[in-house]
Amino acid sequence: MPTLIVLRHAKAAAGPGLADIERPLTERGRRDAAAAGEWLRADGRTVPGLVLCSTAVRTRETLGLLALDAEVSHEPRIYGNDADDLLALIRETAAREPEPRMLLLIGHNPSVHQLVHDLTGNAPDSFPTCALAVVELPGDWAGVRRGTGELVTFRTPKD
């Protein structure tokens, strides 16, 4: 049974003159991302074999602070912020050798929130920065469909 971890990037700075894709993490964002990484590593059951990460600075910084030992693929389609594109990327994971059992996707709202809702029908009302959802899926990555997943964990920086 594949497991998908969906993580919204940590808190990013908003500043004049910065392109959206170039926004770095705030100090709070750096703390939250490091804490999320500690939680993933400590749990032992939630260490991904593959990370799909947006190309934005804030997602790349979030990934670095997670301190995970996993293969990484930086995907421009994640920055495009479309839940259907995210679902397509997840399905494409089936073509990887070896096919990972656990996948981490680091992206942006509203698409990450919509993805969790689409997969499980059970998304929380909000998906704040550095929130993560763990979704168990039946079958394999190629067969991932809306409404077939089970939300087994939802964690925010305040948890």
Side-chain angles (χ1 to χ4, degrees), residues 28-92:
R28 183 185 114 200
R30 288 189 285 279
R31 284 191 312 269
D32 290 348
E38 287 175 20
W39 183 85
L40 287 167
R41 291 186 313 277
D43 181 73
R45 296 171 293 143
T46 52
V47 177
L50 174 65
V51 179
L52 301 178
C53 183
S54 165
T55 54
V57 168
R58 60 192 176 273
T59 53
R60 294 168 72 104
E61 287 182 353
T62 298
L63 171 61
L65 290 162
L66 295 176
L68 299 172
D69 184 21
E71 178 185 350
V72 176
S73 179
H74 292 97
E75 297 288 344
R77 287 188 285 172
I78 298 172
Y79 183 73
N81 214 2
D82 181 277
D84 289 334
D85 285 344
L86 300 183
L87 191 54
L89 281 168
I90 291 164
R91 289 181 184 136
E92 290 168 13

Side-chain angles (χ1 to χ4, degrees), residues 120-144:
T120 68
N122 189 25
D125 290 337
S126 67
F127 211 94
T129 54
C130 217
L132 67 84
V134 179
V135 178
E136 290 183 350
L137 299 156
D140 60 13
W141 295 115
V144 171

